[in-house]
Amino acid sequence: MLVKVCGAALQGIDAINISIEALVEPGFSITLVGMPDKAVKESIQRVESAVSHSGLDFPRRKILVNMAPAEVKKEGAAYDLPLAIGILAADKKLPAERLGEYMVMGELSLDGSLLPIKGVLPMAILARKMGLKGFILPAANATEAAVVNNLEVFGASSLSEVIGHLSGQSLISPTEVDTRGEFGKAIEDFPFDFAEVKGQQSVKRAFEVACAGGHNILLVGPPGSGKSMMAKRLPSILPPLTLHEALETTKIHSVAGNLKGGSRLMSHRPFRAPHHTISNVALVGGGANPMPGEISLAHNGILFLDEFPEFSRTALEVMRQPLEDRSITVARAKYTLQYPASFMLVASMNPCPCGYYTHPTKECTCTGSQVQRYLGRISGPLLDRIDLQVEIQPVPFNELQGAPDGESSEAIRRRVIAARAIQQERYKESAGVYCNAQMNSRMIARWASPEPEAMKILEQTMTRFDMSARAYDRILKVARTIADLDAAASASAASGQASSAPFDPASAVDSPITALHMREAVSYRNLDRATWGLKL
């Protein structure tokens, strides 16, 4: 008897349909075709043991299993469950009538229990798209798949439970998750707060601007000045994920297998901090078994690269295209995949090999050529793509001892959220654009046109320091964000005094970019200056 079971395979962060066709006939052999990898071929041994421990006899007949389409490589142990169900149904130990209503995926233990698998969320999205009634999978993955509406998700802990459900003897209750309700109740609890940071007001302001507009930022300063310490507090002032961003981010981490059992939607923006020994493939994605890299795992969040010049030159250069396109295309001989990579790059570095070139009290022991060679590890084109370049100095002892607590992350975050609300209103007609850093050239011309005096300041700066056209766009984007922060603060203050309607973001989408905004924006391009790093 020939039966078909619906499964899925991952391609990038999406899933495609895989049809598992099982045929049981007189004879004695087991053949598995359809381009299975070693893990899939080994599944027959796991399936045989799981079936026996579930109280059924594994068929001792001729078994032929085809996994279509044959040109797609099938990888991993997630096909154990559909293979077991297909073989049992083809041997008439299970009714085959209802198999066409479900997608079935899961890894089997030898005792028949079901183990969690990766990539459940995109599989569930595919099942809904195909119009299937439900998705049968391991219980540990049920809540993750249940965030997809209009799809019944049946989480089973063993092969016996799946058999009972399909035979109608003991039905599994569907897992239900109120996606919007759960997302609305998500509490963001951050372990670090900017209130703990003494001094460094200019750096905090730069972080506020970066988070408000989604801009890339580079911190340059001597060891112990607080670069890493403040970078770790950035998630506490980022705006919360929208529902669309949460689904998109959860999908990537589902494919990577980063979601813990019982996970639903990710409520925190990702913060990824890979070590500087990371390989190119681990950073951008790909590999023999394609997986998203760190730049995709940081999608809708932060990619923090500490000790920036210590990363390999090739690893840094492969980020140039994703920083512009906000996606990465991994092309290999056997496959071409595209992963999203809209992340906020936060990098930190010392100003020289010894670290004390800009230190106010400690003497730098490096020569001028050593300083230039060290800074030269970061290429000009990559540096050009970093919107804010900020110098940081150590906090003096008297400020550490006597200064009051700084402004809390909650207060800063309120201003960031208000500025982002303006941007969401501004770009509501532009698909895929959520913040100022994502503006294209046409949007810059429409929304980031400065006043004449501000344009004069930009022209003088560009001419004096011989900046590139890309730097021109980046400065305008940052100036637009600073103007948004200013407009949000002014509107909030006015609405508070008038005790009338709350702040309306639509009233500030066309707020002017003044000379004051432009001066602050150009001040964040320190490393573009030809004299920076020269020992005189």
Side-chain angles (χ1 to χ4, degrees):
M1 179 178 176
L2 174 65
V3 299
K4 295 183 179 181
V5 181
C6 178
L10 297 173
Q11 284 196 338
I13 63 167
D14 296 312
I16 61 171
N17 180 34
I18 300 295
S19 178
I20 293 93
E21 303 170 339
L23 177 64
V24 176
E25 296 179 323
F28 187 77
S29 65
I30 300 177
T31 307
L32 187 61
V33 297
M35 207 172 174
D37 72 349
K38 187 175 181 180
V40 179
K41 292 177 181 177
E42 291 173 347
S43 65
I44 294 298
Q45 283 71 40
R46 292 191 294 272
V47 168
E48 183 175 357
S49 176
V51 168
S52 298
H53 281 81
S54 300
L56 296 174
D57 293 327
F58 189 81
R60 302 299 174 183
R61 304 175 68 190
K62 179 182 178 182
I63 300 173
L64 173 62
V65 178
N66 177 43
M67 307 177 76
E71 68 269 13
V72 176
K73 188 174 183 179
K74 321 305 183 300
E75 299 172 332
Y79 297 102
D80 289 359
L81 183 58
L83 284 172
I85 296 301
I87 291 172
L88 289 174
D91 197 38
K92 300 181 181 180
K93 290 184 173 67
L94 266 180
E97 294 78 15
R98 301 177 61 196
L99 289 182
E101 300 176 355
Y102 299 101
M103 176 178 286
V104 182
M105 293 294 286
E107 179 181 349
L108 285 169
S109 287
L110 295 182
D111 63 357
S113 59
L114 283 170
L115 303 176
I117 59 175
K118 297 188 293 187
V120 163
L121 184 55
M123 292 178 188
I125 293 172
L126 173 66
R128 181 184 63 182
K129 185 177 180 182
M130 293 173 61
L132 298 177
K133 177 183 177 181
F135 187 7
I136 299 175
L137 75 169
N141 297 119
T143 52
E144 179 187 338
V147 301
V148 179
N149 56 8
N150 301 322
L151 178 73
E152 290 187 321
V153 175
F154 301 96
S157 58
S158 67
L159 176 60
S160 297
E161 288 188 18
V162 178
I163 294 171
H165 180 81
L166 292 173
S167 63
Q169 296 175 355
S170 56
L171 297 179
I172 303 171
S173 299
T175 303
E176 295 182 358
V177 173
D178 181 4
T179 304
R180 293 187 178 275
E182 291 290 330
F183 182 72
K185 291 187 297 184
I187 298 175
E188 303 203 55
D189 183 23
F190 302 103
F192 306 111
D193 195 290
F194 271 100
E196 303 156 354
V197 180
K198 304 290 182 99
Q200 303 292 11
Q201 298 304 319
S202 61
V203 182
K204 292 179 187 177
R205 170 62 178 180
F207 275 151
E208 181 179 339
V209 172
C211 290
H215 302 290
N216 303 321
I217 182 170
L218 171 64
L219 299 178
V220 184
S225 55
K227 302 185 295 294
S228 301
M229 180 265 294
M230 285 192 285
K232 290 176 182 177
R233 285 160 171 77
L234 272 176
S236 66
I237 64 172
L238 282 172
L241 287 165
T242 65
L243 182 57
H244 175 76
E245 288 176 325
L247 282 166
E248 195 175 40
T249 306
T250 306
K251 192 175 174 182
I252 299 169
H253 286 260
S254 173
V255 171
N258 291 346
L259 299 181
K260 298 178 182 178
S263 296
R264 295 171 183 169
L265 282 177
M266 292 181 64
S267 59
H268 290 70
R269 290 187 180 271
F271 182 87
R272 307 293 298 185
H275 193 260
H276 58 76
T277 56
I278 189 171
S279 67
N280 300 355
V281 172
L283 186 64
V284 301
N289 298 320
M291 295 291 289
E294 288 292 332
I295 64 173
S296 295
L297 295 173
H299 182 63
N300 291 324
I302 292 174
L303 179 67
F304 177 47
L305 302 184
D306 200 7
E307 303 298 340
F308 201 33
E310 302 302 327
F311 285 79
S312 74
R313 182 67 175 256
T314 53
L316 292 179
E317 292 306 303
V318 296
M319 289 199 305
R320 284 164 52 179
Q321 178 259 337
L323 283 171
E324 288 290 332
D325 299 342
R326 299 190 175 272
S327 65
I328 176 69
T329 301
V330 181
R332 300 291 184 266
K334 295 183 179 180
Y335 62 84
T336 299
L337 302 173
Q338 188 173 58
Y339 295 112
S342 181
F343 59 92
M344 178 179 156
L345 175 63
V346 180
S348 68
M349 61 180 286
N350 296 329
C352 66
C354 79
Y356 299 109
Y357 171 61
T358 59
H359 199 283
T361 57
K362 295 185 179 180
E363 184 178 355
C364 173
T365 59
C366 305
T367 64
S369 60
Q370 286 177 321
V371 174
Q372 289 299 306
R373 189 160 52 248
Y374 184 76
L375 295 176
R377 294 182 185 178
I378 312 300
S379 70
L382 179 59
L383 194 61
D384 224 14
R385 289 167 167 82
I386 300 178
D387 305 359
L388 289 84
Q389 304 155 7
V390 183
E391 290 186 64
I392 178 172
Q393 295 293 335
V395 179
F397 175 77
N398 58 342
E399 289 189 29
L400 285 173
Q401 184 184 36
D405 289 343
E407 188 177 25
S408 69
S409 292
E410 183 181 356
I412 301 172
R413 193 177 192 225
R414 283 197 296 267
R415 296 195 295 267
V416 169
I417 291 173
R420 283 288 183 104
I422 296 173
Q423 294 164 48
Q424 288 176 4
E425 178 67 24
R426 179 182 294 136
Y427 308 124
K428 63 183 179 182
E429 303 298 331
S430 303
V433 179
Y434 308 108
C435 58
N436 289 330
Q438 297 172 336
M439 283 193 291
N440 57 32
S441 298
R442 184 176 297 177
M443 293 177 183
I444 292 173
R446 168 66 181 89
W447 299 109
S449 181
E451 293 181 343
E453 186 179 353
M455 180 57 79
K456 185 175 181 181
I457 293 171
L458 178 57
E459 180 184 359
Q460 291 172 345
T461 304
M462 294 284 298
T463 304
R464 180 179 178 186
F465 299 113
D466 194 23
M467 294 181 177
S468 67
R470 183 179 288 111
Y472 171 84
D473 285 349
R474 301 275 172 171
I475 291 172
L476 285 176
K477 291 179 183 180
V478 173
R480 175 70 271 167
T481 299
I482 297 169
D484 288 344
L485 284 166
D486 196 12
S490 300
S492 297
S495 63
Q497 293 174 358
S499 66
S500 57
F503 163 56
D504 179 17
S507 64
V509 294
D510 278 317
S511 58
I513 298 176
T514 66
L516 186 63
H517 303 144
M518 187 60 71
R519 287 193 184 95
E520 183 177 356
V522 298
S523 72
Y524 293 131
R525 301 295 299 191
N526 287 340
L527 269 67
D528 282 333
R529 301 172 186 176
T531 57
W532 202 96
L534 293 177
K535 301 194 77 171
L536 303 176

